[in-house]
Amino acid sequence: MNINLTLIGQSISFVFFVWFCLKFIWPPIVNALEQRRKKIADGLAAGEKGHHELELAQKKAVELIREGKEKAAEIISHAQKRHDEIVEEAKENAHTEGNRILASARSEIDQERLQVKEELRQQVALLAIAGAEQILMREVDKKAHKEALEKISAGL
Amino acid sequence: MTSEHGASTGHDVLTASGYIKHHLQNLTYGKFPDGSWGIAHGVEDVNQMGFWSINLDTMFFSIALGLLFIFIFWFAARQATAGVPGKLQNFVEWIFDFIDSMVSDGFSGRNNLVGPIALTLFIWILLQNLMDLIPVDWVPKLAQIIGIPYLKIVPSTDPNATFGLSLSVFALVLFYSIKVKGIGGFASELSMQPFSPKNVILKILFIPINFLLEFVNLVAKPVSHSLRLFGNLYAGEMIFILIALMYSAHFSLGIFGGFLQLGWAIFHILIVLLQAFIFMVLTIVYLDMAHQELH
């Protein structure tokens, strides 16, 4: 065990190595680790955020689907109602149209019957006159009996 | 095996004790009593040289290993990215995290210097200790071939190296003690503890006793700090040398020695790591004590 200058040489080299370590080795490693820590923290936060957003989106999607279904049901019920209305209206229209056609047919028939009645009456009158002429032979003066004939024909 | 040693040492050739002495001799450069400068041959020369000599082998290997440490770490730190780390960066960060957790556990003050000190000490001492695992004859024999008579490749088996570290740490402890507590605070820490009676006269009476206790306590720190490392590594080195002696004895003893060396080397890995770790932790603890205010 001889203590000599090596002691001082060792101390000097120790101080140099510590200085070098302090200046050039420690700070970059600390920085790199700190940055990585931050990066990882950011990444985790972003992941958390994404997860949260996904949850929100899912909730929104469910909401939208529910709304869509409601709307569709509403539209369908509207359509149903409208359909019923249209059918009802058509029925109504058909009914009134039928009535109208029936009424016009009836009035036409009545008219025709009146006409036919008139014609028949005239023909009957003529036939009656012809019959009477046949029966009475030329005795009947048309002018003299006109009044009576008209009375008869009106009575028919 | 020892015949080559004889060529350079000139004494105790071919004996076991000569072999051991040769292995425990540093390459010391200094001034001989007759005024010439040169390499010391043997313990007597070293003793005569006294303080003004230098162990070239210790300096060379410790500085080389220190440069290896700062180069590897600087290379990794220069390329350090926050993204996916490479293998080297991963390794360096692993060590960094380990040191950093030790510092944050053991050191309660705020000082940016403690981390780098702990990192430097741990890696540097670890590398120095690991030199112990290189078979004891390899490097000295190579050195002899190129003409270097003595070589101890494990710097931490040189008390100069371990005291150099522990006294540097001690200087920092004194500096921070005075800086944090003030000269008065530091002095009162040395003289008002551990006996602190309420009575003023008793208190004054106890000052020398307290000072004696605390002063011994204070001085014992760097001594035990460095001797612990030195002693463990020196003993380990010594056992390797003794095992290596077996190779020159007999063939069967040589094979047995081979197994012994392997076993001791495996066990020594533990010591090597543990001593580097203990040195670092004690440094952190001492610096922490220096930063603590009086309770």
Side-chain angles (χ1 to χ4, degrees):
Chain A
M1 259 184 72
N2 296 283
I3 298 298
N4 57 24
L5 273 180
T6 314
L7 182 83
I8 293 166
Q10 282 286 311
S11 304
I12 292 168
S13 44
F14 172 62
V15 168
F16 167 74
F17 291 138
V18 167
W19 170 81
F20 191 92
C21 190
L22 177 70
K23 268 276 179 292
F24 299 108
I25 294 172
W26 201 260
I29 296 177
V30 169
N31 274 347
L33 288 181
E34 200 48 51
Q35 272 174 24
R36 180 162 331 130
R37 199 162 294 148
K38 199 166 166 286
K39 227 171 161 181
I40 290 171
D42 287 353
L44 284 177
E48 193 64 35
K49 206 177 149 201
H51 194 73
H52 191 65
E53 269 170 10
L54 179 68
E55 252 172 30
L56 278 182
Q58 267 169 348
K59 250 182 216 166
K60 206 173 177 187
V62 168
E63 186 74 13
L64 278 175
I65 288 169
R66 205 181 51 76
E67 234 168 60
K69 270 183 185 162
E70 259 173 23
K71 226 168 222 175
E74 202 178 311
I75 288 167
I76 287 170
S77 79
H78 259 276
Q80 193 70 41
K81 212 165 140 194
R82 182 87 188 107
H83 166 255
D84 287 354
E85 267 175 21
I86 288 167
V87 167
E88 205 58 39
E89 212 178 280
K91 265 187 193 162
E92 194 77 19
N93 282 351
H95 197 69
T96 48
E97 184 68 11
N99 279 353
R100 200 179 56 76
I101 290 167
L102 203 64
S104 75
R106 256 195 202 130
S107 71
E108 214 165 290
I109 289 166
D110 281 354
Q111 227 165 355
E112 254 167 41
R113 203 182 56 188
L114 280 178
Q115 210 175 332
V116 168
K117 221 174 167 178
E118 192 64 28
E119 269 173 23
L120 276 176
R121 192 187 287 148
Q122 277 169 9
Q123 277 175 11
V124 168
L126 286 176
L127 274 174
I129 292 167
E133 268 176 4
Q134 291 283 320
I135 298 164
L136 299 173
M137 303 310 246
R138 291 154 316 240
E139 301 297 313
V140 179
D141 183 6
K142 273 185 187 169
K143 278 178 191 158
H145 300 289
K146 197 178 178 181
E147 205 174 335
L149 282 172
E150 271 178 3
K151 259 184 196 163
I152 290 165
S153 83
L156 276 170
Chain B
M1 174 171 294
T2 47
S3 58
E4 289 99 329
H5 298 183
S8 52
T9 58
H11 64 277
D12 288 337
V13 286
L14 288 168
T15 64
S17 85
Y19 177 73
I20 295 170
K21 272 184 188 163
H22 180 258
H23 265 290
L24 296 179
Q25 167 82 52
N26 275 109
L27 183 69
T28 309
Y29 182 83
K31 195 179 180 188
F32 287 108
D34 61 9
S36 64
W37 291 80
I39 303 292
H41 293 284
V43 183
E44 302 80 28
D45 285 352
V46 173
N47 285 340
Q48 280 166 348
M49 282 174 182
F51 184 76
W52 298 104
S53 56
I54 190 157
N55 294 344
L56 297 175
D57 47 359
T58 302
M59 288 308 295
F60 173 78
F61 281 104
S62 61
I63 289 174
L65 292 168
L67 289 176
L68 180 71
F69 152 64
I70 59 171
F71 177 73
I72 291 173
F73 273 68
W74 171 73
F75 188 72
R78 202 171 52 109
Q79 300 181 327
T81 60
V84 180
K87 279 179 184 161
L88 180 66
Q89 195 190 337
N90 229 338
F91 175 69
V92 165
E93 278 175 10
W94 174 59
I95 293 174
F96 177 90
D97 272 338
F98 167 66
I99 303 287
D100 200 37
S101 71
M102 291 309 303
V103 171
S104 57
D105 285 349
F107 188 75
S108 51
R110 285 181 160 274
N111 193 338
N112 290 335
L113 195 60
V114 177
I117 285 176
L119 178 64
T120 307
L121 279 176
F122 180 66
I123 302 296
W124 197 23
I125 293 173
L126 181 63
L127 288 173
Q128 291 182 11
N129 292 354
L130 280 173
M131 297 297 282
D132 214 0
L133 297 176
I134 298 174
V136 284
D137 274 320
W138 282 10
V139 183
K141 187 137 284 181
L142 275 174
Q144 269 182 355
I145 291 169
I146 59 166
I148 297 169
Y150 301 97
L151 198 65
K152 269 177 83 178
I153 61 165
V154 191
S156 45
T157 58
D158 183 349
N160 286 305
T162 60
F163 269 108
L165 297 179
S166 76
L167 289 177
S168 306
V169 172
F170 186 61
L172 279 172
V173 167
L174 291 182
F175 172 72
Y176 282 117
S177 290
I178 291 169
K179 191 185 170 193
V180 173
K181 298 160 189 164
I183 290 178
F186 187 46
S188 79
E189 191 186 67
L190 285 177
S191 52
M192 298 300 173
Q193 288 176 329
F195 303 110
S196 49
K198 291 273 179 283
N199 190 314
V200 180
I201 299 163
L202 271 178
K203 208 169 199 168
I204 292 167
L205 275 176
F206 266 116
I207 282 178
I209 299 168
N210 282 336
F211 181 75
L212 188 68
L213 285 170
E214 284 295 316
F215 186 74
V216 169
N217 189 11
L218 186 73
V219 172
K221 277 179 193 168
V223 175
S224 69
H225 199 192
S226 68
L227 285 184
R228 182 180 298 106
L229 176 62
F230 163 70
N232 274 282
L233 269 293
Y234 190 79
E237 174 85 343
M238 193 62 140
I239 288 172
F240 275 124
I241 293 169
L242 292 176
I243 291 170
L245 265 180
M246 291 174 132
Y247 299 132
S248 58
H250 188 264
F251 180 69
S252 56
L253 206 57
I255 291 179
F256 178 61
F259 282 109
L260 271 183
Q261 189 185 347
L262 183 67
W264 179 244
I266 291 169
F267 180 65
H268 205 54
I269 292 172
L270 182 72
I271 296 175
V272 155
L273 265 168
L274 199 63
Q275 288 307 321
F277 177 70
I278 288 172
F279 199 97
M280 176 196 76
V281 170
L282 281 177
T283 303
I284 296 170
V285 169
Y286 290 158
L287 286 173
D288 182 47
M289 283 158 79
H291 280 74
Q292 254 156 23
E293 298 281 350
L294 268 179
H295 4 265

